[in-house]
Amino acid sequence: MTMSKQDLYAESMGRDATEAQRMDQQFQIITGALGWTLHPSIVPILGDSPNIADFATGTGLFLRSLAESYPAARLDGYDVSSNMFEANCKNVKLSIADVNQPVPSELHGIYDLVHVRYLIAGMQPDDWEPALRNLLQLLRPGGVIQWEEPALSQTQHLRARPESSTSTMRKMMLSFIKGPLHDQLCHGWSTLPEIMERCGLRVETDVVSSDRHVETRRMLTENGMVALFGYARLMASKHAPGAMSMDQIKELEVDAIKEVESGCYVRYDIHTAVGFNPGRRL
């Protein structure tokens, strides 16, 4: 597929080893909150040797997590950059591609499942429907698209105990959602089901809270803290308008660590849209 013309995610979050590790940990925590890797409505119809495409694949962890259960599957991961790609396992192949670019004709109609998770920081508000239409070209008749996105614009930092403090983490989150990513963070999760229906899909939706499992609340909060401070440092290094200084960020990070230790935790809703392509499976 066509190489991306612009990597919006890298511009805001970076694509180094630290971010790759954070994303993989986030994937595992969120999968635990969801309670599944593949939505329960999909598993019965997928078969033993499906062709599966994963977009915004990162390190390819979603596909690697399926490789053992589907040893005969074709598992293809796509991302706008290869910076986070890890060595392919037996039936996983990772390639550069952009959901916002046209799909080559040789890939039309070959996948049983197309999966996307957490593309929100890499999409402009007007990108969602064209991207979905590009992805739908990949599906076989009767194929399925599974797409998960977080409602980050509605993120809360809450107190687990009466003595917990949340002010610094709330300040950092507000800086994140009111910054250059503001418009991006308000779309996708709230619009995908309607877009899927407009594209002719039968749609099922699911919403789960990120803090559903008490035992992973701190881990997810610390993971998000890495993202927030990484974003702040990247903006500072670019001298972006309104960016904090590196000294301010360092001081706030010390306070944020104390808040997490005091019982501050993050919560947001995770929205899943599953779209079923019309037609009988081949």
Side-chain angles (χ1 to χ4, degrees):
M1 293 181 69
T2 310
M3 184 178 294
S4 173
K5 296 180 180 178
Q6 184 180 18
D7 187 351
L8 292 177
Y9 187 91
E11 291 178 7
S12 300
M13 304 303 298
R15 283 191 182 273
D16 58 14
T18 298
E19 179 62 4
Q21 183 179 21
R22 186 197 70 79
M23 287 177 63
D24 277 0
Q25 184 191 50
Q26 176 184 262
F27 176 89
Q28 292 167 335
I29 298 169
I30 295 305
T31 298
L34 291 170
W36 39 261
T37 304
L38 295 176
H39 191 270
S41 65
I42 296 174
V43 176
I45 65 173
L46 202 53
D48 296 328
S49 54
N51 291 347
I52 299 175
D54 180 41
F55 278 79
T57 196
T59 67
L61 183 55
F62 170 80
L63 297 173
R64 296 200 309 275
S65 69
L66 297 178
E68 184 174 347
S69 300
Y70 293 92
R74 171 178 173 173
L75 303 173
D76 296 337
Y78 299 100
D79 212 317
V80 297
S81 168
S82 61
N83 287 1
M84 293 185 181
F85 288 178
E86 293 192 1
N88 295 343
C89 64
K90 182 178 179 181
N91 55 336
V92 174
K93 178 182 177 182
L94 304 181
S95 305
I96 293 178
D98 185 351
V99 297
N100 293 310
Q101 300 298 319
V103 174
S105 59
E106 62 268 23
L107 294 180
H108 286 193
I110 69 169
Y111 290 105
D112 301 288
L113 169 66
V114 174
H115 173 261
V116 189
R117 180 183 290 189
Y118 281 33
L119 194 55
I120 192 168
M123 299 282 277
Q124 296 289 2
D126 293 335
D127 289 341
W128 293 92
E129 184 161 342
L132 177 62
R133 291 188 182 277
N134 284 338
L135 295 179
L136 291 181
Q137 292 184 315
L138 300 167
L139 283 183
R140 289 175 171 171
V144 187
I145 182 165
Q146 174 184 311
W147 199 323
E148 303 109 51
E149 291 293 345
L152 293 182
S153 61
Q154 298 183 349
T155 298
Q156 298 174 296
H157 283 89
L158 305 173
R159 294 183 298 123
R161 299 187 290 271
E163 66 272 18
S164 301
S165 176
T166 62
S167 58
T168 300
M169 289 296 288
R170 288 181 175 180
K171 178 178 180 177
M172 295 302 297
M173 191 68 209
L174 187 63
S175 174
F176 181 69
I177 64 177
K178 295 296 184 182
L181 290 175
H182 173 72
D183 287 344
Q184 293 167 243
L185 299 180
C186 295
H187 292 79
W189 60 270
S190 60
T191 56
L192 271 172
E194 179 183 348
I195 293 172
M196 285 185 175
E197 289 179 348
R198 197 157 56 235
C199 291
L201 302 181
R202 178 176 63 83
V203 181
E204 292 190 16
T205 60
D206 196 3
V207 182
V208 172
S209 175
S210 65
D211 64 341
R212 189 165 71 88
H213 296 306
V214 175
E215 61 271 19
T216 60
R217 286 178 178 174
R218 176 164 179 168
M219 190 182 303
L220 183 61
T221 305
E222 291 174 336
N223 182 280
M225 187 172 71
V226 172
L228 291 175
F229 281 92
Y231 166 82
R233 289 191 176 93
L234 186 58
M235 294 300 102
S237 71
K238 294 181 175 183
H239 305 288
M244 303 175 188
S245 70
M246 289 296 188
D247 286 342
Q248 286 177 307
I249 294 168
K250 186 176 180 179
E251 291 177 6
L252 288 168
E253 191 167 30
V254 172
D255 292 338
I257 291 171
K258 292 178 181 178
E259 287 187 352
V260 175
E261 291 174 348
S262 80
C264 169
Y265 71 93
V266 69
R267 80 156 307 280
Y268 54 82
D269 287 338
I270 307 157
H271 292 249
T272 300
V274 180
F276 297 85
N277 199 29
R280 181 172 297 180
R281 295 174 62 81
L282 301 177

